[in-house]
Amino acid sequence: GAVVSQHPSWVICKSGTSVKIECRSLDFQATTMFWYRQFPKQSLMLMATSNEGSKATYEQGVEKDKFLINHASLTLSTLTVTSAHPEDSSFYICSAPVGGTGPNREQYFGPGTRLTVT
Amino acid sequence: AQSVTQPDIHITVSEGASLELRCNYSYGATPYLFWYVQSPGQGLQLLLKYFSGDTLVQGIKGFEAEFKRSQSSFNLRKPSVHWSDAAEYFCAVGARGSYIPTFGRGTSLIVHP
């Protein structure tokens, strides 16, 4: 099946600094990617839809100036957490759909990035 | 908007025992339904999905799930659990035409030897 990678797998940063997380589709092209946030023992919450060559679409309540998304190529989307604070500590997961627009379309998920802000 | 409830936070079973993980959804029409498994260090993996047709869906790794419209449920089952099945399991519902699933909070499966 399709493979989605994320880098780094974990990162620790100091409060006030920015952190960039990469999401790559390794063996397919993805014009769309999705970014999720997962709190411990909780559900995955969709943060934004990343669109290649255009602006990302953010879900209600997600600060677009804090979570900058860039989808510069068909295989790479980046999420930058700007001026990170401890409350931004979380597990960030990306996904990319494969299979067109029909029922066979499937989401492939990256392994996630654990962000800890101290 | 659609929503998913997984009432069990943790489930503990003995290896070789049968398993049923509960999932209830809320959606105004027939939804798309999914079960994913999340293991440490790995991305969510799709176990099975229901779009239409036969309400009993077979998935990978010996899992199956049954869509029951009258109960708004999509419970996941496995007849005999292996230690390697220990993981976090997520039920998800998708609105028709959306393909972006809404996830439940997950159920952590613990397998005793």
Side-chain angles (χ1 to χ4, degrees):
Chain A
V3 177
V4 175
S5 71
Q6 283 185 241
H7 178 80
S9 55
W10 59 272
V11 57
I12 302 172
C13 71
K14 292 188 176 181
S15 187
T17 62
S18 295
V19 174
K20 180 184 287 187
I21 301 170
E22 295 183 346
C23 176
R24 292 182 185 273
S25 56
L26 296 187
D27 49 1
F28 66 100
Q29 294 181 332
T31 57
T32 301
M33 290 183 175
F34 302 98
W35 286 96
Y36 294 84
R37 183 173 180 176
Q38 184 182 23
F39 291 101
K41 300 304 180 184
Q42 293 191 31
S43 176
L44 280 75
M45 302 299 298
L46 180 65
M47 298 175 65
T49 302
S50 172
N51 303 298
E52 189 268 334
S54 65
K55 291 184 179 180
T57 305
Y58 291 82
E59 295 299 302
Q60 190 172 11
V62 177
E63 299 176 61
K64 54 185 70 176
D65 293 332
K66 155 132 332 247
F67 299 101
L68 299 180
I69 291 172
N70 187 316
H71 196 146
S73 78
L74 288 172
T75 59
L76 174 64
S77 174
T78 60
L79 169 68
T80 301
V81 183
T82 62
S83 187
H85 290 283
E87 57 266 29
D88 299 324
S89 298
S90 194
F91 195 55
Y92 293 89
I93 301 172
C94 70
S95 74
V98 175
T101 58
N104 289 325
R105 175 169 160 148
E106 183 173 331
Q107 296 283 348
Y108 285 87
F109 289 82
T113 296
R114 173 76 58 194
L115 170 63
T116 301
V117 184
T118 61
Chain B
Q2 63 270 23
S3 66
V4 178
T5 301
Q6 292 181 251
D8 303 306
I9 298 176
H10 305 284
I11 289 282
T12 301
V13 299
S14 298
E15 190 170 16
S18 63
L19 170 71
E20 182 169 32
L21 301 182
R22 296 185 291 167
C23 172
N24 293 96
Y25 69 89
S26 174
Y27 183 62
T30 301
Y32 295 148
L33 294 162
F34 310 84
W35 273 100
Y36 290 88
V37 60
Q38 184 183 36
S39 299
Q42 299 183 28
L44 272 77
Q45 182 181 23
L46 180 67
L47 289 175
L48 46 79
K49 60 187 177 184
Y50 171 78
F51 283 161
S52 65
D54 194 345
T55 56
L56 183 61
V57 181
Q58 301 297 322
I60 62 172
K61 304 184 179 185
F63 286 93
E64 67 177 26
E66 186 171 11
F67 169 56
K68 292 186 177 180
R69 184 191 306 274
S70 62
Q71 299 176 19
S72 297
S73 69
F74 189 58
N75 294 348
L76 181 71
R77 300 193 295 250
K78 186 170 185 177
S80 178
V81 170
H82 189 263
W83 63 267
S84 60
D85 292 324
E88 195 80 18
Y89 290 81
F90 291 91
C91 181
V93 60
R96 292 204 165 256
S98 168
Y99 307 107
I100 302 175
T102 297
F103 289 85
R105 64 186 296 175
T107 297
S108 180
L109 175 63
I110 301 165
V111 180
H112 280 318

